[in-house]
Amino acid sequence: MNTHCENCNLANLTPDSLRNVIVAKEELSPVLTSLEISAPLIARSAKAGQFVIVYMGEGGERIPLTVSDSDPEKGTVTIIFQKVGKSTLELGTYNVGDVIEGIVGPLGKPTDVEKVGTVVVIGGGVGTAIAMPVAKAFAASGNKLITILGARSKDLVILEDKMREPADEFYVTTDDGSYGRKGLVTDQLKDLLDSQKIDLVFAVGPLPMMKFVCKTTKPYNVPTIVSLDALMIDGTGMCGGCRVTVGGKPMFTCVDGPDFDGQEVDWDELALRKRYYFEEEKEAKEKFLAGGNK
Ligand SMILES: Cc1cc2nc3c(=O)[nH]c(=O)nc-3n(C[C@H](O)[C@H](O)[C@H](O)COP(=O)(O)OP(=O)(O)OC[C@H]3O[C@@H](n4cnc5c(N)ncnc54)[C@H](O)[C@@H]3O)c2cc1C
Ligand code: FES
């Protein structure tokens, strides 16, 4: 059966094409996996900064993952995830040809990308997968683009070519100095702030990294946007799980974000809320590892 809606330009969609079949899989590092999945409707509308909620079937969690890339022609989206707990470890067992039960999206507001001048886009760890489409979008909008990729060590550096390609200047930092500059992304950022006019910083990565990027830019008064990974359940503004305080006001990361003005985020509250289910998450991971694959 073919469905064709002229208003929405949904030609050539078959029930088969709408199943979320994995069409490519790549292990980017010992802990990072990339999956390209058939999801034609999401591929047509996803913009930089948006995410999907992935559901792997009965008893499974709903996990938010950023659309790292999309190909409207092929009808696929790419997600890149770090295997940190039960659901991401389980997703990592899926292979080419497997079907993911449900993918909802695109969700969240796209990153506000305008021509502002010189933009620094920073990706730390798996945050690089989220930073990558944003970097591409800022370059395409005519900005001078500087990208900084941070990782703990060389084996965790991912997507180097894709962060380098759209950039006018590109830097890598590793905590242990095994690749690029030894140190943190904030060391490189500070040098840039001291040596040229920066108009906007976009940062995504571990919470402490984003917090310290904001501390670094504050004395320079450079607008700093961060992409937050609050705990999410429905992803549509219904459950309140992803509440964050920004500028003293409650916001829902899933519908008001995930991007926010980093200088206004209550980082301590966010860190606390992210740890609410720590014991349950630990138990689920241990059970999954003891029980083997999906
Ligand atoms: C908007 C958004 C985009 C994201 N994009 C990516 C991405 O592109 N790649 C990636 O690797 N990770 C991404 N994350 C984080 C990812 O959702 C979590 O790593 C994942 O849910 C962990 O699930 P788990 O069962 O494997 O681990 P768990 O053991 O359940 O949790 C490990 C940690 O992951 C976080 N987490 C757990 N459940 C959720 C949840 N439902 N929502 C948000 N965070 C959770 C918590 O900090 C938790 O302590 C994103 C999160 C958000 C909110
Ligand atoms: S995830 Fe439920 S309100 Fe945002």
Side-chain angles (χ1 to χ4, degrees), residues 25 27 30-31 33 56 61 63 81-94 281-282 284-290 292-294:
K25 177 177 183 178
E27 299 295 349
V31 290
T33 303
M56 282 170 283
E61 274 187 311
I63 55 166
F81 57 94
Q82 185 163 7
K83 290 171 270 191
V84 286
K86 191 242 169 202
S87 300
T88 44
L89 283 165
E90 185 178 345
L91 191 57
T93 68
Y94 279 57
E281 288 161 359
K282 197 169 146 225
K285 182 177 179 178
E286 282 165 5
K287 269 195 192 152
F288 178 78
L289 290 173
N293 286 353
K294 69 184 165 92

Side-chain angles (χ1 to χ4, degrees), residues 172-193:
V172 183
T173 65
T174 51
D175 298 8
D176 64 0
S178 51
Y179 193 57
R181 174 177 179 162
K182 182 177 187 325
L184 303 173
V185 293
T186 43
D187 300 328
Q188 187 61 56
L189 177 62
K190 177 138 190 358
D191 284 358
L192 291 167
L193 289 162

Side-chain angles (χ1 to χ4, degrees), residues 53 230-243 252-255:
I53 293 235
L231 281 179
M232 289 189 184
I233 301 162
D234 64 303
T236 59
M238 305 285 283
C239 70
C242 66
R243 182 170 58 75
F252 290 159
T253 310
C254 64
V255 286

Side-chain angles (χ1 to χ4, degrees), residues 124-127 185-186 203-215 226-231 244 262 265-275:
V126 72
V185 293
T186 43
V204 52
L207 187 149
M209 183 206 98
M210 293 192 281
K211 181 175 166 180
F212 282 99
V213 163
C214 295
K215 283 201 167 179
V226 290
S227 175
L228 299 184
D229 61 345
L231 281 179
V244 286
V265 172
D266 183 336
W267 294 103
D268 295 339
E269 181 198 55
L270 176 61
L272 203 66
R273 285 179 67 85
K274 273 171 69 77
R275 290 185 61 82

